[in-house]
Structure formats: structure tokens, C-alpha cells
């Protein structure tokens, strides 16, 4: 069975809704061959990355950057996984009050250094809360899980 790791920073009610939407999408009933592990960044680490076949990252935009919790996850995990998970399929969603550009650039820089492989353009959820944000994150997670199950990632 393939394993999808979701590492999502969720400090507010709305970001918890996004994390739950990612988990829901990855657990879609049509996807049976993927185990889903969902962890907050401060509880996830290199062992989780080494045990997964794909990763979905979720973060808030904090002062034009990723959340400190996600940065901490990368700081603790970078060197232990650097040579061991090259080509890991990954995706990202950003809850951005502004434009999310700095956040995206920061995560992309680290992912590039790790040698992970984007399977979809990062999803940036900009501005005021919109009800379709949850559906968009759910679809992103479903797409990642289904691609993993189908063996195309």
C-alpha cells in the first residue's frame, strides 16, 4: 500500500477546515490503496518523510513567508532525507491573506533543494475566506492520492 503524508499547519478554524478537507480528499472512497497520515508540522519529522510515497504540504502565509512550524519541519528534516527521497511527489496549498508569492517561493526553494517533484502547481488561496477553498484543497488531495494509487506519480 502507498502512503501519502499530509503536513499541514492549521492554527485557526479556517485552516483546520482546509487540513480536514485535505484529509477528506485523500480518504475519498474511490481511493483504496493509499494510507493517509496527517500531521501538524511540529509533530512530523524525517521518519514520516522516509516512510511516505508522496507528500502534501499546507501552510499559512506569515509575513510573506511560510509558517514557522512548516519551516521548523523542513529544518529538522532536510539533511536526514536529502539523499533518500529524491523525486518524492509533492504538492502544496497556501492560505494567503495577501498574495502568497513569498510563501510559495520559500517552499519551492526548499523543495527544489530536496529534489522533490511537483505533481501540480502550488494552490494559493488568496484574500478573504471563500467557501470554495475547502473544495479546492479536497480536490488537490484527491488528485494526489488517486495519482499515487494509480502509479502515475
Amino acid at each position: 500500500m502507498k502512503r501519502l503524508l499530509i503536513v499541514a499547519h492549521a492554527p485557526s478554524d479556517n485552516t483546520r477546515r482546509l487540513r480536514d478537507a485535505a484529509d477528506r480528499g485523500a480518504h475519498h472512497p474511490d481511493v483504496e490503496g493509499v494510507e493517509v497520515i496527517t500531521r501538524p508540522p511540529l509533530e512530523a519529522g524525517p521518519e514520516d518523510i522516509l516512510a511516505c510515497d508522496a507528500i502534501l504540504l499546507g501552510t499559512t502565509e506569515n509575513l510573506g513567508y511560510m509558517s514557522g512550524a512548516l519551516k521548523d519541519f523542513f529544518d529538522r528534516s532536510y539533511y536526514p532525507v536529502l539523499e533518500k527521497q529524491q523525486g518524492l511527489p509533492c504538492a502544496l496549498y497556501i492560505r494567503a491573506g495577501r498574495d502568497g508569492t513569498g510563501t510559495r517561493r520559500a517552499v519551492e526553494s526548499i523543495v527544489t533543494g530536496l529534489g522533490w517533484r511537483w505533481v501540480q502547481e502550488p494552490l494559493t488561496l488568496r484574500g478573504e475566506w471563500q467557501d470554495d477553498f475547502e473544495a479546492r484543497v479536497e480536490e488537490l488531495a484527491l488528485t494526489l492520492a488517486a495519482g499515487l494509487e494509480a502509479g502515475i506519480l
Side-chain angles (χ1 to χ4, degrees), residues 27-33 142 146 149:
H27 280 101
H28 191 280
D30 290 342
V31 179
E32 298 176 353
L142 169 57
E149 181 183 51

Side-chain angles (χ1 to χ4, degrees), residues 73-133:
F73 165 74
F74 281 132
D75 287 346
R76 289 180 291 104
S77 302
Y78 191 89
Y79 289 108
V81 305
L82 181 58
E83 300 296 325
K84 299 175 182 160
Q85 279 290 43
Q86 296 284 312
L88 182 70
C90 69
L92 167 70
Y93 69 87
I94 300 165
R95 175 61 189 112
R98 293 205 164 93
D99 73 355
T101 303
T103 305
R104 178 179 172 163
R105 187 174 27 251
V107 174
E108 285 177 331
S109 176
I110 293 170
V111 165
T112 297
L114 286 165
W116 294 356
R117 181 173 47 90
W118 292 107
V119 297
Q120 186 167 326
E121 283 288 313
L123 173 62
T124 304
L125 308 163
R126 291 180 178 90
E128 295 294 319
W129 178 263
Q130 298 171 31
D131 289 334
D132 77 325
F133 285 174

Side-chain angles (χ1 to χ4, degrees), residues 59-80:
T59 187
T60 52
E61 174 187 56
N62 291 6
L63 303 172
Y65 197 71
M66 73 182 89
S67 71
L70 188 64
K71 178 65 167 73
D72 175 78
F73 165 74
F74 281 132
D75 287 346
R76 289 180 291 104
S77 302
Y78 191 89
Y79 289 108

